[in-house]
């Protein structure tokens, strides 16, 4: 019987074809007048036993005779018949046979009937194959295309015609590039060629199949192809089954877009950058153009008022298009009738599938309408950006030219996309708000500008951290001290945010207070260490188990330096901070050999003071660790660059600061940590502006002080201050004579003010008090305080100094 595939191949051929079917001829009375060899083979009757006999007596059982006669009557009326009947074999068994009967008219009115028969099984198989073939081309929902050996279309079925909109006869005789767009026709033709040449079938290959007459309509198909051959192996062509999977492909693409959005949107905590990421993702898989417009408070980091509307600012447009009316940074005005305005009011996506067909669209802004039409824009989705119940702005998605109009599913994707992006934008806005608050707090705590001091010329830079870590706790200060001296301080509170900025403010205030006491640098740093420990203890008691605030204080570092322009002497101490760099006038750059000391807050560990003489015109450079760690984190390389920028001690300090920042901070990446930089060029007071005398500790010392003071002020041309200053010097020397011991030193310094200092070897602290009317003394310091602008006391290892300052008379 052969294999099933062989049976199918045989049954696929016409069983009634010449040479395959059994044939017989009947006259008009039903007598057999012709009998073929194939009929004898199938039914067992030789021709001599059949010819001349009535067909019903010979071939039909008595039980089947009524049905057979009914068929004959119907056939005679219709002039032909086709069907299956049971027939008696010569050996007596029943044989199911399929028959095709047709009447043939002879001369006159006589008719003969030609019967062609075949086994019913073959006829049924042939009928099924014909029905299958007819169904594939007429009723199948799966597309079918057949190509000839020349790769030209032979036939397409109605499913392809319906899906593509191309009439079934149009592609016949043509190759794919004649009815498909070139980008899609090439892969199709190559696929047919491959199957023709190799015979290898292709299964479920997906590709784009856009018709040339409608290139804007997206169509993705899944194609399976096989080569057609006849029984001899001759290649007849290629058959393809085609399934339209456009909807499935779009669904997969939308899911991929949302997955991509979750990865690409919100990579930074910058509002503008987040909006641009949203626009770039949208045009990557959903729209041809995308604009993101935010309420103005959102762009500034402020929270929009619930229910309130205001001007929108365009923060992102992708791809860039110079013809669009509103560029990035422009204020966007919305008409009440516009889809964006309705979207914000209703807080839902607005889909405009065919904009040019909406008459109210033309009534809004003629200029923008003309530009949109020039760009080929025809479809729009406006989706609101809403987070935590607050409207942040609107995202507009546009399709133009050959793109298909937006669908409802696209609007759902746009809503999901805008919802996710709104959360990221709101997070960036809140971070910006916190950054702005911390930066405002920090800048308010930093000195506005370095004063014009007689001891140093100062230039400084403060660069806040950008990005997720936030504002840190770096600070610097320049503090004038008594005796024309100056304190230079740079510090760093480990951590970021408002806590770090607030902690920095407390430490800076403490440094100023300690500096006013004229303590030695190591004592100042030690008091700061105690303060940080105390603050950490307070925070620990008030955080209820939340240790984040404690971390803002632990790990603070600083360097503190005091420079005296009279002696050119500088004293420094540091607590875990990078050592300062000194540049001498000859261009030698060295790191000050200063003991590091522990960071502030560890407690119980000592700090050391380093003393050095600084030539006039030298540079003292103090900085925080962020300066050295900004570029690739290689501190040694950063130090080399820093030294190279500081070799010229005569260059303008602002230029030097700029050069340091340019050399050590990468332009492509903003700093992730705060950076504080302070550069001071030392000055020296000329000897003629300083007068110093040693006075004996005796009753005539006050008189001698008055004489020396009056003479020196007359020499300096400050006779207007002579009376006041000789009284001040007399009172201070008198107090020394009464309450102190050892020699007395009187010093006058002329700078931007007149300084009078009286030093002795006692550590007794002078006190200002209000004397009673009956008291004979106790009014000396009161007079000094009233006659001078400032006064105070500083202590050293071998005594104390009481100093006063008086403004110089106007020139």
């Amino acid at each position: 019987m052969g294999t099933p595939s062989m049976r199918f191949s045989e049954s696929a051929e016409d069983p009634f074809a010449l040479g395959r079917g059994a044939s017989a001829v009947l006259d008009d009375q039903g007598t057999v007048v012709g009998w073929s060899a194939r009929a004898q083979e199938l039914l067992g009757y030789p021709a001599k036993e059949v010819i001349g006999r009535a067909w019903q007596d010979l071939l039909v059982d008595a039980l089947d005779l009524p049905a057979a006669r009914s068929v004959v009557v119907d056939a005679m009326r219709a002039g032909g018949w086709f069907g299956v009947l049971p027939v008696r074999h010569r050996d007596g068994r029943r044989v199911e046979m399929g028959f095709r009967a047709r009447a043939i008219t002879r001369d006159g009115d006589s008719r003969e009937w030609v019967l062609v028969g075949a086994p019913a099984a073959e006829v049924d198989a042939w009928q099924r194959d014909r029905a299958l073939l007819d169904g594939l081309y007429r009723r199948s929902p799966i597309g079918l295309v057949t190509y000839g050996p020349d790769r030209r279309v032979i036939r397409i079925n109605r499913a392809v015609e319906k899906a593509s909109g191309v009439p079934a006869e149009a592609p016949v005789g043509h190759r794919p590039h004649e009815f498909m767009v070139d980008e899609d026709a090439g892969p199709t033709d190559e696929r047919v060629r491959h199957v023709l040449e190799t015979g290898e079938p292709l299964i479920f290959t997906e590709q784009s199949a856009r018709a040339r007459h409608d290139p804007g309509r997206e169509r993705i198909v899944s194609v399976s192809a096989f080569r057609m051959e006849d029984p001899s192996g001759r290649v007849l062509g290629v058959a393809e089954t085609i399934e339209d999977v456009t909807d499935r492909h779009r669904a997969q693409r939308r899911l991929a877009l949302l997955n991509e959005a979750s990865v690409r949107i919100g990579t930074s905590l910058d509002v503008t950058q987040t909006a641009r990421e949203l626009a770039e993702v949208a045009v990557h898989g959903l729209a041809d153009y995308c604009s993101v417009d935010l309420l103005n408070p959102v762009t500034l980091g402020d929270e929009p008022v619930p229910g309130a509307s205001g001007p929108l600012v365009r923060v992102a447009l992708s791809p860039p298009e110079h013809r669009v009316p509103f560029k990035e940074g422009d204020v966007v005005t919305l008409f009440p009738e516009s889809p964006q305005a309705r979207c914000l009011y209703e807080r839902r996506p607005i889909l405009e599938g065919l904009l040019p067909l909406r008459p109210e669209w033309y009534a809004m802004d003629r200029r923008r309408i003309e530009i949109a039409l020039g760009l080929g824009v025809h479809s729009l989705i406006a989706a609101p950006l809403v987070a935590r119940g607050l409207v942040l702005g609107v995202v507009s998605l546009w399709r133009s030219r050959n793109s298909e109009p937006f669908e409802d599913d696209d609007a759902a994707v746009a809503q999901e996309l805008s919802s996710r992006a709104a959360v990221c934008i709101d997070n960036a806005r809140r971070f910006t708000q916190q950054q702005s608050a911390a930066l405002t707090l920090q800048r308010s705590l930093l000195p506005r500008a370095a004063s014009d001091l007689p001891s140093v010329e100062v230039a400084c830079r403060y660069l806040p951290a950008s990005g997720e870590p936030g504002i840190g706790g770096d600070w610097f200060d320049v503090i004038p001290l008594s005796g024309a001296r100056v304190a230079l301080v740079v510090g760093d509170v480990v951590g970021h945010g408002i806590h770090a900025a607030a902690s920095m403010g407390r430490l800076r205030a403490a440094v100023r207070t300690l500096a006013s006491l004229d303590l030695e640098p190591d004592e100042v740093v030690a008091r700061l260490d105690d303060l940080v420990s105390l603050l950490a203890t307070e925070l620990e008691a008030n955080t209820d188990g939340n240790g984040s605030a404690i971390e803002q204080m632990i790990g603070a570092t600083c360097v503190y330096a005091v420079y005296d322009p009279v002696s050119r002497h500088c004293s420094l101490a540091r607590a875990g901070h990078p050592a300062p760099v000194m540049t001498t006038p000859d261009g030698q750059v060295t790191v000050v050999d200063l003991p590091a000391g522990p960071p502030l807050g560890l407690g119980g560990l000592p700090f050391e003071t380093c003393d050095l003489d600084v030539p006039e015109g030298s540079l003292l450079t103090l900085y925080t660790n962020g300066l050295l760690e900004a570029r690739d984190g290689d501190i040694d390389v950063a130090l080399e660059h820093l030294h190279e920028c500081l070799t010229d001690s005569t260059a303008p300090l602002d230029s030097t600061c700029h050069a340091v920042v340019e050399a050590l901070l990468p332009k492509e990446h903003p700093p992730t940590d705060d950076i504080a930089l302070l550069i001071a060029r030392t000055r020296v007071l000329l000897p003629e502006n300083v007068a110093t005398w040693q006075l004996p500790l005796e009753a005539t010392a006050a008189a001698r002080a008055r004489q020396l003071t009056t003479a020196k002020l007359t020499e300096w041309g400050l006779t207007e201050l002579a009376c006041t200053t000789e009284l001040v010097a007399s009172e201070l020397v008198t107090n020394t004579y009464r309450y102190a011991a050892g020699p007395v030193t009187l010093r006058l310094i002329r700078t931007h003010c007149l300084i009078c200092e009286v030093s002795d070897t006692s550590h007794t602290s002078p006190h200002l008090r209000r004397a009673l009317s009956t008291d004979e003394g106790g009014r000396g310091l009161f007079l000094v305080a009233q006659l001078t602008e400032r006064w105070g006391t500083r202590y050293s290892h071998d005594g104390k100094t009481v100093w006063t300052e008086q403004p110089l008379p106007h020139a």
Side-chain angles (χ1 to χ4, degrees):
M1 294 183 60
T3 64
S5 61
M6 291 178 64
R7 289 203 308 272
F8 182 80
S9 176
E10 292 173 357
S11 64
E13 299 180 14
D14 188 354
F16 300 114
L18 183 65
R20 289 184 54 84
S23 59
V25 180
L26 307 178
D27 62 13
D28 206 18
Q29 284 74 36
T31 302
V32 179
V33 296
W35 191 257
S36 69
R38 178 63 174 162
Q40 178 180 344
E41 179 185 342
L42 293 177
L43 298 179
Y45 295 100
K48 62 182 179 179
E49 294 183 9
V50 176
I51 294 177
R53 300 180 61 180
W55 66 273
Q56 62 267 34
D57 297 336
L58 179 66
L59 300 176
V60 182
D61 286 335
L63 295 177
D64 299 323
L65 186 58
R69 286 176 175 172
S70 176
V71 168
V72 170
V73 172
D74 293 338
M76 292 176 67
R77 291 174 181 173
W81 179 83
F82 171 80
V84 177
L85 284 176
V87 180
R88 186 175 66 240
H89 195 273
R90 187 171 184 271
D91 59 10
R93 57 190 174 86
R94 288 163 55 91
V95 178
E96 295 286 334
M97 294 285 291
F99 289 98
R100 178 182 290 169
R102 182 176 296 277
I104 301 176
T105 303
R106 297 296 184 182
D107 295 338
D109 294 333
S110 63
R111 289 192 303 177
E112 290 183 349
W113 292 87
V114 178
L115 278 72
V116 181
E122 293 184 12
V123 174
D124 289 343
W126 178 66
Q127 285 289 88
R128 286 194 299 270
D129 290 347
R130 285 179 58 87
L132 174 62
L133 188 62
D134 180 72
L136 286 175
Y137 279 99
R138 295 181 181 274
R139 290 178 290 276
S140 172
I142 304 296
L144 180 63
V145 180
T146 54
Y147 295 88
D150 58 355
R151 305 203 300 276
R152 296 181 182 275
V153 176
I154 298 175
R155 188 177 181 184
I156 68 173
N157 68 349
R158 291 183 178 177
V160 175
E161 177 183 10
K162 181 179 179 181
S164 65
V166 178
E169 65 277 4
V172 174
H174 299 284
R175 287 189 173 181
H177 70 270
E178 298 181 59
F179 55 88
M180 297 173 64
V181 298
D182 294 338
E183 295 85 348
D184 301 341
T188 300
D189 192 60
E190 176 61 24
R191 181 177 62 246
V192 174
R193 185 199 62 77
H194 177 79
V195 175
L196 275 174
E197 294 179 356
T198 65
E200 298 176 358
L202 298 178
I203 301 176
F204 302 135
T205 301
E206 292 191 4
Q207 76 156 79
S208 176
R210 292 166 293 171
R212 182 173 289 275
H213 74 282
D214 189 12
R217 181 185 179 191
E218 182 184 37
R219 184 165 175 255
I220 307 299
V221 296
S222 176
V223 181
S224 297
F226 61 92
R227 188 169 69 182
M228 300 184 296
E229 303 174 0
D230 65 7
S232 66
R234 181 169 62 93
V235 176
L236 303 177
V238 172
E240 289 184 341
T241 60
I242 300 174
E243 181 182 2
D244 192 332
V245 295
T246 305
D247 291 340
R248 183 181 70 191
H249 180 78
R250 288 176 178 173
Q252 292 174 345
R253 186 171 60 196
R254 292 179 182 119
L255 290 176
L257 176 65
L258 294 177
N259 181 65
E260 182 183 9
S262 64
V263 175
R264 292 184 55 187
I265 299 178
T267 59
S268 70
L269 289 173
D270 181 82
V271 173
T272 301
Q273 179 62 26
T274 304
R276 287 174 179 166
E277 291 168 350
L278 166 60
E280 291 171 359
V281 169
V283 298
H284 180 69
L286 186 61
D288 294 319
Y289 296 97
C290 177
S291 61
V292 181
D293 305 324
L294 300 179
L295 291 170
N296 190 53
V298 177
T299 62
L300 302 176
D302 298 332
E303 185 167 304
V305 179
S309 60
L312 295 172
V313 177
R314 176 146 298 173
V315 294
L317 175 64
S318 184
E321 174 56 62
H322 69 277
R323 290 175 290 178
V324 174
F326 301 115
K327 308 298 188 298
E328 291 185 3
D330 292 348
V331 176
V332 179
T333 56
L334 296 180
F335 291 87
E337 302 85 358
S338 66
Q340 289 85 351
R342 290 189 288 124
C343 158
L344 293 176
Y345 178 74
E346 300 176 14
R347 293 194 178 190
R348 66 177 182 85
I350 299 296
L351 170 61
E352 297 286 356
L354 293 173
L355 287 175
L357 300 181
R358 297 291 297 273
E360 65 273 13
W361 194 58
Y362 290 91
M364 290 185 288
D365 187 336
R366 192 64 192 175
R367 176 169 172 262
R368 279 191 285 174
I369 298 304
E370 292 175 354
I371 292 174
L373 294 178
L375 295 173
V377 169
H378 58 74
S379 188
L380 162 69
I381 294 177
L385 293 168
V386 181
R388 298 187 301 113
L390 298 175
V391 175
L392 307 178
V394 61
V395 54
S396 301
L397 307 172
W398 310 83
R399 282 186 178 173
S400 64
R401 303 201 184 281
N402 294 330
S403 299
E404 293 188 38
F406 285 117
E407 302 174 347
D408 290 337
D409 290 341
D410 295 320
V413 172
Q415 173 67 10
E416 179 66 21
L417 190 65
S418 62
S419 297
R420 296 187 181 187
V423 174
C424 297
I425 291 175
D426 188 56
N427 288 339
R429 178 199 63 78
R430 298 170 71 182
F431 175 77
T432 301
Q433 183 183 44
Q434 184 179 14
Q435 282 281 82
S436 178
L439 183 59
T440 301
L441 174 61
Q442 188 166 40
R443 290 194 183 280
S444 67
L445 296 174
L446 291 174
R448 291 289 184 268
S451 302
D452 183 15
L453 302 175
S455 53
V456 290
E457 177 190 356
V458 175
C460 51
R461 291 288 188 276
Y462 171 72
L463 300 176
S466 61
E468 186 174 350
I471 301 299
D474 293 16
W475 93 93
F476 64 88
D477 208 347
V478 179
I479 308 171
L481 301 178
S482 63
R485 297 171 306 132
V486 65
L488 307 174
V489 58
V490 170
D492 183 6
V493 175
V494 177
H496 298 85
I498 293 180
H499 288 293
S503 300
M504 176 274 291
R506 301 179 75 174
L507 287 182
R508 178 172 175 264
V511 169
R512 279 194 163 260
T513 301
L514 295 173
S516 67
L517 299 178
D518 273 320
L519 301 177
E520 294 292 327
D522 58 336
E523 293 186 37
V524 172
V525 175
R527 302 290 176 85
L528 285 178
D529 180 60
D530 295 337
L531 174 63
V532 171
S533 299
L534 178 61
L535 293 176
T537 302
E538 292 178 355
L539 287 172
E540 185 176 7
N542 296 327
T543 51
D544 298 328
N546 180 9
S548 61
I550 302 174
E551 296 174 359
Q552 303 296 328
M553 292 300 302
I554 297 178
T557 65
C558 80
V559 58
Y560 183 84
V562 176
Y563 173 69
D564 187 345
V566 176
S567 63
R568 297 184 295 104
H569 184 76
C570 184
S571 299
L572 307 94
R574 62 174 174 147
H577 201 85
V581 174
M582 185 173 73
T583 305
T584 55
D586 58 0
Q588 295 294 322
V589 182
T590 58
V591 177
V592 177
D593 186 12
L594 177 63
L600 299 176
L602 296 183
L605 297 176
F607 299 93
E608 299 181 41
T609 296
C610 173
D611 297 318
L612 65 155
D613 292 328
V614 181
E616 181 181 5
S618 298
L619 299 184
L620 288 175
T621 304
L622 291 71
Y623 52 88
T624 54
N625 58 349
L627 183 67
L628 300 182
E629 297 172 357
R631 185 181 292 272
D632 303 327
D634 192 331
I635 295 179
D636 293 334
V637 174
L639 272 175
E640 291 181 6
H641 291 316
L642 178 62
H643 288 186
E644 292 172 359
C645 297
L646 297 175
T647 53
D648 186 2
S649 62
T650 62
L653 291 188
D654 280 336
S655 300
T656 303
C657 280
H658 181 74
V660 170
V661 172
E662 287 291 316
L664 273 68
L665 268 66
K667 296 180 181 179
E668 61 276 9
H669 300 295
T672 57
D673 193 8
D674 285 30
I675 294 174
L677 172 65
L678 176 64
I679 303 179
R681 178 181 288 120
T682 61
R683 295 170 174 167
V684 175
L685 292 183
L686 298 176
E688 56 266 26
N689 289 326
V690 180
T692 305
W693 302 279
Q694 292 287 335
L695 302 177
L697 193 61
E698 57 187 28
T700 60
R704 179 60 177 165
R706 288 194 296 270
Q707 295 173 359
L708 294 173
T709 300
T710 301
K712 180 53 68 174
L713 293 182
T714 301
E715 179 186 340
W716 284 346
L718 299 176
T719 55
E720 297 180 26
L721 300 178
C723 180
T724 302
T725 307
E726 71 173 21
L727 178 58
V728 169
S730 175
E731 290 295 335
L732 294 179
V733 171
T734 299
N735 284 342
T736 302
Y737 172 73
R738 289 181 177 178
Y739 306 110
V744 179
T745 301
L746 172 63
R747 185 167 70 167
L748 296 178
I749 302 174
R750 181 179 61 176
T751 61
H752 63 288
C753 63
L754 178 62
I755 302 172
C756 177
E757 296 181 344
V758 175
S759 305
D760 58 49
T761 58
S762 171
H763 289 87
T764 304
S765 175
H767 293 285
L768 178 66
R769 66 185 182 89
R770 185 177 297 274
L772 298 178
S773 58
T774 57
D775 291 342
E776 294 183 0
R779 299 176 178 83
L781 283 181
F782 180 79
L783 291 175
V784 170
Q786 296 300 312
L787 295 174
T788 60
E789 188 174 59
R790 291 200 311 151
W791 76 278
T793 305
R794 66 173 182 268
Y795 296 89
S796 61
H797 296 294
D798 53 2
K800 70 175 183 298
T801 299
V802 181
W803 56 268
T804 65
E805 290 183 1
Q806 302 174 73
L808 297 179
H810 296 292

